Amino acid sequence: MSSSTSVRTDDPPAVVLTGITKRFPGVVANSDVHLTVRRGEVHALCGENGAGKSTLMKILYGMQPPDEGTIEVNGEQVRFRTPSDAIKAGIGMVHQHFMLADNLTVQENVVLGAEALHGIGQKARKRIIELSGRTGLNVDPGVLVEQLGVADRQRVEILKVLYRGAKVIILDEPTAVLVPQEVNELFDTVRGMQAQGYTFLFISHKLDEVRAIADSVTVIRRGTTVGSADPKTVSSRQLAEMMVGSELPSPETRESTVTDTVVLDVKGLKLLTPDGSRPILDDIDLVVRSGEVVGIAGVEGNGQTELVETIMGMRKAGSGTITLQGNDLTKLGTLARREAGIGYIPEDRHRHGLLLTQPLWYNRILGYQTRKPASKGIWLDTDGAKKDTERIVTEFDVRTPGIDVPAAALSGGNQQKLVVGRELSGDPVLLIASHPTRGVDVGAQALIWDEIKRARAAGLAVLLISADLDELIGLSDTIKVMLRGRLVADADPSTVTPEDLGSAMTGAGSTSAAVQETAVVEEGEN
Amino acid sequence: MGNLRGKLLPPALAIVFSMLLCGVALVISGANPFSAFGAMVTQVGKGSTLVDIINSTGIYYIAALAVAIGFQMNLFNIGVEGQYRVAAVVAAVVGGSIALPPGIHTLVIIVVGALAGAAWAAIPAILKVTRGVNEVISTIMMNGLAIGLSAYLIRRDVFGELRGNNIRTPEIPESGWMPGISFGGGGTMFGFLFVAIALGVGYWIMMNRTRFGFELRASGESATAASAGGVNAKKMILVSMLLSGAIAGLIGLPEMLGRDHTFSLNFTAGIGFSGIAIALLGRNHPGGIAFGALLWAFLDKSGLALDNVGVPREIVTIMQGSIVLSVVVAYEVVRRVELAAEQRRVGRELGTVGGAA
C-alpha cells in the first residue's frame, strides 16, 4: 500500500527527537522520548488517548518547551520557543480541531497571519491555487469556508501549513472527524504529497489506518516510546498490545438481552431552529426497550446532540411526545425526567457533566439533588453524598487521591468514570450515553463498556450516540442512522461494516443489505 | 493548611499592597503616611468611633450578603442601592402609620422592608426571565427610578411631613423601634446587628446545606452543567433575585429602627455600591464578607481622623478602591496557582508523572 520508494535513507533524518522529557501537571507527561522521522516518509505515532502523543507534538511544534532533551531538524539542533520558530524550520501542524474562521474565504483563512509571505492579493491567490492541487482541494480560493465540508476544511488546514513553507507536516488525529470514504481520500492526498517529497507525522490510535498509511510506526505508552514496528509485518493486535501493554478490550456484546418492554418511546418529535425557519429534528420516531442498546450513527451536526438534549428536556420540542415506561414526559423539565429514571452521560463532560472546580463528592450531587443519597427533603446530605462518592470511586476505579480534590484535577478518563458511575447510580431505567468513551484512555474505555453491558444485561435501556463506529457496532442491538435531523436508515450491527455505515451517514445511499433505508431525504429540501 | 492559606493570603496581600499605594499617594501629596495611618488607628479608641464602626459593619454586612446571593449565580444585582432605598421608604411609611404592640410592630416593619425590596427586585428579574433583559442595565435604571420614587413618596402632599428644615415620613411610634445596647458616651450598638448575624448564619446554611444553595452554586459555576443536572435556570434567576432584593430591603432598617425612626432627606445613600465591593472582597463567603465589612467600616469611620492631621479624607476612598482591585487580581492568581498545584499533587499521588522524575 505505502510507497517506500521516496524514502531516502542517506540524507539526515527530517526530525530527530532525543530524550524528550516534559513534566506536566496531573496527566501523563513525556519521559525520555526518542523518535526519528526519515525524510519523505509517513511516520505514525501511535498510542492510546492520554499517552502523551499530543504533548510530544506540541513540543515539536514549539507550543511548549521540553524540560529535557533535544530536537534536530535536518541534522541541525534547534530550539523552538514559539510555533513560528517551528514553521520557519519547515514544520507545520494540522490540529485535530480545525482552526478556521467560517465567515472568511479559503484564501483569507490561508493568508491570515502569513500576510508577509505573498501579500493578500493576486500573488497570494496564485500561490494558493498552485498549492491546492497538491492537497486535492478543488475549490476556488474565494469560497467561504462555511460552505465547505469537513474533508475540504481539512485540506484547507493542510494548505495553510504548505503556504507557510512546511516540509514536515504533523497530522494530529486527522481521521477522527472523517467518515471512512473521506479517510481514503485523505490517504490518497497524503500519498500524493509524499511522492512530492513531503514528510508526514501521523498521530493516531486507529491501528488499521496506521497500517494502511504509514511507512514506519513508533508506539508511545504512558509518556514514553516503547518501540517501533514495521506496519507491513505487524498486526493490529500486536500494535494494540504494544500500546496498551496488555490485552485489548473489545466493545463486542455476546448474547442479546433485548426484551419486549418498551422503556423509551419517542413519537413524531420535531425541533425547529430558534428562528423557526428550519427543522433540526424532523419527525423522529424511536423506541428503546429494556435490555436494548439503540445506537445512533451520524456525522456530527446532523441533530444527534439536539435529539439527546430534547429527550433530556434541555430543549423544548416543537411537537411530538416522549414517553418513559408509559409516563408522558413531554411537558416535564429536565429534573423531573431525571427523577423518572433517565441517566445522562453528556457528550461534553466539562460543559454538561461536571462542576470542575468543585470536589468530587459535590459533583455526585449534580442531577441527584432531590434524591437519596445526595439529599433529604430540602437539605443536602453531604455525608450520604460523600459515602456514595467513595463507592463510585471504588466500583468504577476512579483514580484519585480522595473525594475532596476538584474534578478538574483528574484526567479525562477518570472524570468520565465518575460521570458514568454517577449516572448509573440511582437505578435508572434509561441511560442516554453521548460519546461515552470520547477522549478517555483504553483502560477507562474498557471499564465503561463493561459497565454499560452489565447494566444492559440487568434490563437497562440504553440510547447510545457515538462517532466511534466500532464502539457503536460493538455495543448496539439496533443502529439507526441520522442524517439532517431524520432517522433515515436502520442497520443490523451483527452484519454491518463501518464502511456501510459511513456511506449511509453521508447520505450516499444504501450499499449493503445490512442497511435498510427507512426514509428518503430529498435533496431539494434545503 | 494550604487551603486556608489560599483563602487568607490574597486579601492580606491586597491590603498591604493598597496601603503601600496609599502611602505613595500620601508622600506625593506631601503628607506623612505613618502619621496618617497612626491617626486612623488611634481614632478607633476615641468617642463613639468603635461602636460606629461596629454599627456600620452590620449595615455593610447585610448589603454585601444581598449582592453575594446574586454573585453566587453570576447575577450582578447592582440594584441593591435602589432596592434598599425603596424598601426603607415603604417600611417607614407603613411603620409610621400603623399601631401594633411592641415586637410585632418591629417585625411587621422588617417584613414590609423585605417584601418591598423583593418587589423592586422582581421587576428586573421578570424582565430577565421573560425578555432576556440584562440585569446590570435594568437594575441600574431601577436605581434611578428608586431615587425619584422615594423623593415622591416623602412629599408633603403624599406621605411626608415637614420637620424643621427636613422633609421626612411620619415618625414610627416607639412600639416599632428596635432597642440597642447602650455604652453611654461610647454610643449605642444597633439591636439589628443580631439580625445581621442571623442572616449570615442563615446564608451559610442555605449555601452549604440546602438543595437551593446547591442549585444556586451549580448555576453560578456552570450554567450548562446545571441545566443538564436538572436545575431550572429561570426559576433560579427569579428566586435568587427576589432573595437578594429581600435582604437588600433590610439594609436601611438598622438606622431606621435603632436611631432615626423615620425616612428623611438625610437617608444614608451609597451602601448598595459598597456592598458590591465588600462581596467581592469577601468572595461571597459569610466569614469573608464580615471581615470585608469590618475593614470597610473601619476605613470609613476612622478616616474622619485624617482631617485632624491635615490629610485629605478622600485617601480612604483610594484605599478602598485599590483594595478591591488588588483583591480581585490576587484571588485569580492564587486560584490558578492552587489548581495547578492540586493537579500536580493528584498526578504525583497516582504516579503518572513518577516516570518523568
Side-chain angles (χ1 to χ4, degrees):
Chain A
M1 289 271 274
S2 51
S3 59
S4 48
T5 45
S6 59
V7 178
R8 283 162 281 172
T9 43
D10 44 339
D11 295 337
V15 175
V16 180
L17 301 180
T18 316
I20 297 286
T21 294
K22 176 76 185 171
R23 298 179 187 89
F24 204 63
V27 287
V28 180
N30 290 136
S31 124
D32 197 29
V33 171
H34 294 267
L35 179 69
T36 303
V37 183
R38 283 167 299 156
R39 204 175 295 177
E41 75 169 344
V42 176
H43 191 109
L45 185 65
C46 280
E48 50 172 312
N49 286 315
K53 296 171 303 213
S54 295
T55 309
L56 186 62
M57 288 308 109
K58 281 179 183 164
I59 289 171
L60 177 56
Y61 192 49
M63 290 163 81
Q64 278 162 1
D67 294 336
E68 287 161 31
T70 58
I71 304 172
E72 281 174 45
V73 176
N74 296 325
E76 278 175 48
Q77 192 170 328
V78 290
R79 268 191 97 80
F80 298 148
R81 268 168 316 225
T82 64
S84 58
D85 290 345
I87 291 167
K88 272 185 210 133
I91 294 175
M93 178 146 170
V94 175
H95 295 273
Q96 182 178 357
H97 301 287
F98 298 153
M99 303 195 172
L100 297 172
D102 281 356
N103 52 347
L104 297 184
T105 63
V106 171
Q107 176 171 351
E108 285 163 342
N109 267 290
V110 171
V111 170
L112 191 67
E115 296 85 352
L117 288 176
H118 308 284
I120 57 170
Q122 279 309 312
K123 235 174 88 191
R125 187 185 157 86
K126 245 168 76 188
R127 179 78 185 139
I128 288 170
I129 292 173
E130 191 184 316
L131 288 173
S132 31
R134 300 189 191 172
T135 64
L137 181 70
N138 289 318
V139 298
D140 186 89
V143 166
L144 288 179
V145 163
E146 65 185 4
Q147 294 169 354
L148 299 185
V150 176
D152 275 344
R153 285 174 193 225
Q154 192 165 51
R155 292 195 179 95
V156 175
E157 284 280 11
I158 297 175
L159 187 59
K160 262 166 72 179
V161 304
L162 292 188
Y163 189 80
R164 286 157 176 75
K167 285 285 169 193
V168 178
I169 298 162
I170 305 169
L171 299 174
D172 186 7
E173 304 263 1
T175 61
V177 291
L178 304 179
V179 296
Q181 283 77 359
E182 292 169 328
V183 169
N184 288 337
E185 286 177 39
L186 171 72
F187 285 180
D188 290 341
T189 302
V190 167
R191 285 196 198 94
M193 291 175 63
Q194 185 188 13
Q196 296 167 40
Y198 289 101
T199 307
F200 285 92
L201 239 170
F202 182 85
I203 303 170
S204 182
H205 62 271
K206 296 189 181 166
L207 305 174
D208 296 333
E209 292 174 359
V210 165
R211 288 175 55 231
I213 188 73
D215 299 305
S216 44
V217 182
T218 298
V219 177
I220 186 166
R221 183 172 80 225
R222 289 188 70 124
T224 189
T225 39
V226 292
S228 318
D230 182 352
K232 283 182 276 303
T233 56
V234 76
S235 73
S236 285
R237 189 145 201 103
Q238 286 167 315
L239 261 186
E241 278 164 12
M242 281 175 82
M243 270 167 59
V244 187
S246 62
E247 286 248 324
L248 190 68
S250 133
E252 230 85 350
T253 45
R254 300 280 178 273
E255 70 279 359
S256 170
T257 56
V258 183
T259 63
D260 290 337
T261 324
V262 171
V263 174
L264 176 74
D265 191 358
V266 175
K267 275 204 182 77
L269 194 66
K270 245 187 184 145
L271 177 75
L272 297 176
T273 49
D275 58 8
S277 62
R278 195 168 60 78
I280 303 175
L281 296 178
D282 199 355
D283 213 12
I284 300 275
D285 291 313
L286 184 67
V287 170
V288 187
R289 295 178 177 81
S290 170
E292 182 185 34
V293 178
V294 173
I296 306 280
V299 177
E300 270 177 64
N302 275 282
Q304 302 95 313
T305 307
E306 289 81 2
L307 174 63
V308 167
E309 293 185 359
T310 311
I311 296 177
M312 283 309 296
M314 295 157 68
R315 290 169 188 263
K316 258 208 166 56
S319 61
T321 58
I322 299 167
T323 318
L324 188 76
Q325 288 186 316
N327 303 317
D328 188 1
L329 298 186
T330 316
K331 292 207 164 54
L332 298 182
T334 306
L335 187 64
R337 295 185 193 204
R338 278 177 161 276
E339 285 169 347
I342 305 184
Y344 174 39
I345 303 172
E347 64 175 68
D348 185 338
R349 58 182 162 269
H350 287 177
R351 268 173 61 77
H352 289 114
L354 293 168
L355 304 169
L356 286 172
T357 66
Q358 299 293 344
L360 303 189
W361 65 265
Y362 204 74
N363 275 286
R364 169 65 182 84
I365 304 173
L366 187 67
Y368 296 82
Q369 58 268 34
T370 52
R371 275 180 278 172
K372 283 184 177 176
S375 74
K376 288 179 186 152
I378 65 158
W379 302 102
L380 290 185
D381 181 356
T382 50
D383 289 336
K386 283 179 185 173
K387 214 189 247 163
D388 201 57
T389 311
E390 297 279 11
R391 175 189 66 80
I392 292 175
V393 165
T394 319
E395 276 182 24
F396 289 79
D397 189 31
V398 181
R399 309 266 169 88
T400 170
I403 58 167
D404 287 316
V405 298
L410 300 190
S411 71
N414 285 309
Q415 289 175 347
Q416 189 73 350
K417 285 190 274 187
L418 180 73
V419 172
V420 172
R422 181 182 69 196
E423 299 302 331
L424 285 176
S425 312
D427 299 321
V429 293
L430 170 72
L431 177 72
I432 299 182
S434 268
H435 307 281
T437 63
R438 173 180 278 179
V440 307
D441 56 274
V442 171
Q445 189 177 40
L447 184 135
I448 291 168
W449 283 340
D450 282 345
E451 290 295 340
I452 291 179
K453 279 185 256 182
R454 221 173 45 144
R456 162 184 171 271
L460 183 74
V462 181
L463 182 63
L464 174 71
I465 285 89
S466 180
D468 180 343
L469 298 183
D470 293 324
E471 172 177 270
L472 207 57
I473 294 171
L475 279 181
S476 303
D477 298 297
T478 314
I479 294 180
K480 293 185 179 293
V481 179
M482 196 159 189
L483 179 65
R484 284 180 226 133
R486 287 182 174 201
L487 296 177
V488 294
D490 287 342
D492 179 357
S494 57
T495 51
V496 76
T497 65
E499 283 70 24
D500 297 336
L501 266 187
S503 51
M505 280 158 61
T506 52
S510 167
T511 53
S512 146
V515 180
Q516 296 284 315
E517 284 184 37
T518 54
V520 182
V521 175
E522 297 97 38
E523 287 298 325
E525 211 173 288
N526 293 339
Chain B
M1 174 155 178
N3 207 1
L4 196 64
R5 196 190 58 196
K7 287 195 174 105
L8 295 184
L9 193 65
L13 282 177
I15 290 165
V16 170
F17 176 73
S18 59
M19 278 179 75
L20 284 177
L21 202 72
C22 289
V24 171
L26 284 170
V27 169
I28 291 173
S29 65
N32 180 351
F34 293 102
S35 71
F37 291 139
M40 284 177 70
V41 174
T42 50
Q43 174 71 19
V44 174
K46 289 184 189 161
S48 63
T49 310
L50 182 60
V51 169
D52 286 347
I53 290 176
I54 293 173
N55 282 339
S56 204
T57 301
I59 296 170
Y60 283 143
Y61 188 66
I62 299 172
L65 282 183
V67 176
I69 287 179
F71 274 165
Q72 288 282 4
M73 64 167 298
N74 294 335
L75 269 181
F76 203 165
N77 181 9
I78 299 184
V80 168
E81 181 71 22
Q83 287 144 20
Y84 92 88
R85 177 180 282 268
V86 167
V89 69
V90 171
V93 167
V94 171
S97 56
I98 54 172
L100 285 169
I104 296 177
H105 195 167
T106 313
L107 198 65
V108 166
I109 296 175
I110 294 174
V111 170
V112 166
L115 288 179
W120 198 249
I123 299 169
I126 290 169
L127 283 175
K128 185 174 176 77
V129 170
T130 57
R131 286 266 153 268
V133 177
N134 188 316
E135 80 282 358
V136 174
I137 309 294
S138 56
T139 53
I140 288 177
M141 298 202 294
M142 294 295 288
N143 285 345
L145 291 176
I147 293 173
L149 181 67
S150 62
Y152 170 76
L153 287 178
I154 61 169
R155 272 169 60 131
R156 286 164 64 199
D157 51 353
V158 187
F159 292 114
E161 60 182 32
L162 192 65
R163 179 69 58 96
N165 270 337
N166 207 344
I167 302 177
R168 56 172 225 185
T169 59
E171 181 155 298
I172 297 170
E174 199 168 340
S175 59
W177 299 1
M178 188 178 263
I181 301 168
S182 174
F183 292 93
T188 302
M189 216 164 80
F190 294 144
F192 211 86
L193 276 179
F194 296 101
V195 178
I197 294 170
L199 282 175
V201 173
Y203 171 81
W204 187 88
I205 292 174
M206 182 188 83
M207 291 313 297
N208 292 290
R209 287 286 176 267
T210 68
R211 226 180 83 193
F212 176 76
F214 174 85
E215 295 188 335
L216 202 63
R217 279 170 66 179
S219 310
E221 161 108 22
S222 165
T224 47
S227 96
V231 179
N232 183 336
K234 286 185 174 175
K235 188 185 116 194
M236 295 311 292
I237 290 172
L238 204 61
V239 175
S240 59
M241 200 70 185
L242 290 181
L243 211 51
S244 177
I247 293 180
L250 305 180
I251 295 170
L253 299 187
E255 288 183 347
M256 187 191 295
L257 299 180
R259 191 184 68 204
D260 300 341
H261 313 305
T262 179
F263 181 96
S264 71
L265 291 178
N266 297 338
F267 183 72
T268 319
I271 297 172
F273 298 125
S274 303
I276 296 173
I278 295 164
L280 277 175
L281 199 61
R283 297 292 282 177
N284 305 331
H285 185 279
I289 292 174
F291 169 78
L294 184 64
L295 180 69
W296 221 254
F298 162 75
L299 290 173
D300 260 8
K301 299 298 174 193
S302 56
L304 300 174
L306 290 176
D307 288 338
N308 303 337
V309 290
V311 173
R313 211 193 313 167
E314 284 67 27
I315 200 79
V316 163
T317 314
I318 298 182
M319 199 148 167
Q320 289 175 333
S322 56
I323 287 177
V324 171
L325 260 182
S326 29
V327 148
V328 171
V329 173
Y331 270 124
E332 184 58 25
V333 170
V334 169
R335 188 188 69 79
R336 290 187 190 183
V337 169
E338 295 244 307
L339 182 64
E342 185 74 10
Q343 287 179 329
R344 259 197 303 280
R345 189 175 72 86
V346 172
R348 205 167 41 241
E349 290 190 21
L350 298 177
T352 46
V353 286

